[in-house]
Amino acid sequence: MRRWIVLAGLNAFLAVALGAFAAHALESMGDDRAVGLAEKASRYMLWHALGLGLVGILADRWPGRRALTVAGVLFQAGIVLFCGSLTLLALTDLPVAAAAPFGGTAFLAGWLSVAWAALKA
């Protein structure tokens, strides 16, 4: 499914951009907390962008696997909730930390959905 590969590419691009921003702009400001949050968000975003790519490849190989669609949706939701909330925490004082556990849970459920699709293939 092409949409998962497109999302993988876009999220990977954003992950690298965020990592570069953390390494250069945030480090030069001397905010170690913000650097750590942005780097963690970047790392998780990149890994789950690769997960989206895997979903796209597997969806092409195993068409009709609903669990793969569920996995893709969960990975993208996790990226928005987990990585997005960490990025906002790094850059602002907005109280968004409560979203991170929901994003982490989405990541976990997404990986279980990939495993389920493989078991059923």
Side-chain angles (χ1 to χ4, degrees), residues 2-84:
R2 193 177 343 195
R3 70 177 164 210
W4 302 123
I5 305 290
V6 170
L7 280 173
L10 292 173
N11 281 297
F13 170 86
L14 291 172
V16 172
L18 177 60
F21 179 74
H24 298 290
L26 292 177
E27 276 187 12
S28 71
M29 295 170 58
D31 189 347
D32 292 337
R33 178 184 164 277
V35 170
L37 288 168
E39 286 178 346
K40 184 175 285 189
S42 175
R43 187 171 48 251
Y44 275 78
M45 187 184 295
L46 187 55
W47 278 111
H48 288 88
L50 293 173
L52 282 168
L54 174 66
V55 166
I57 291 167
L58 293 176
D60 186 50
R61 186 172 183 176
W62 303 327
R65 297 280 177 238
R66 182 182 158 136
L68 291 172
T69 299
V70 170
V73 169
L74 288 167
F75 285 159
Q76 188 59 50
I79 288 170
V80 170
L81 293 171
F82 184 82
C83 303

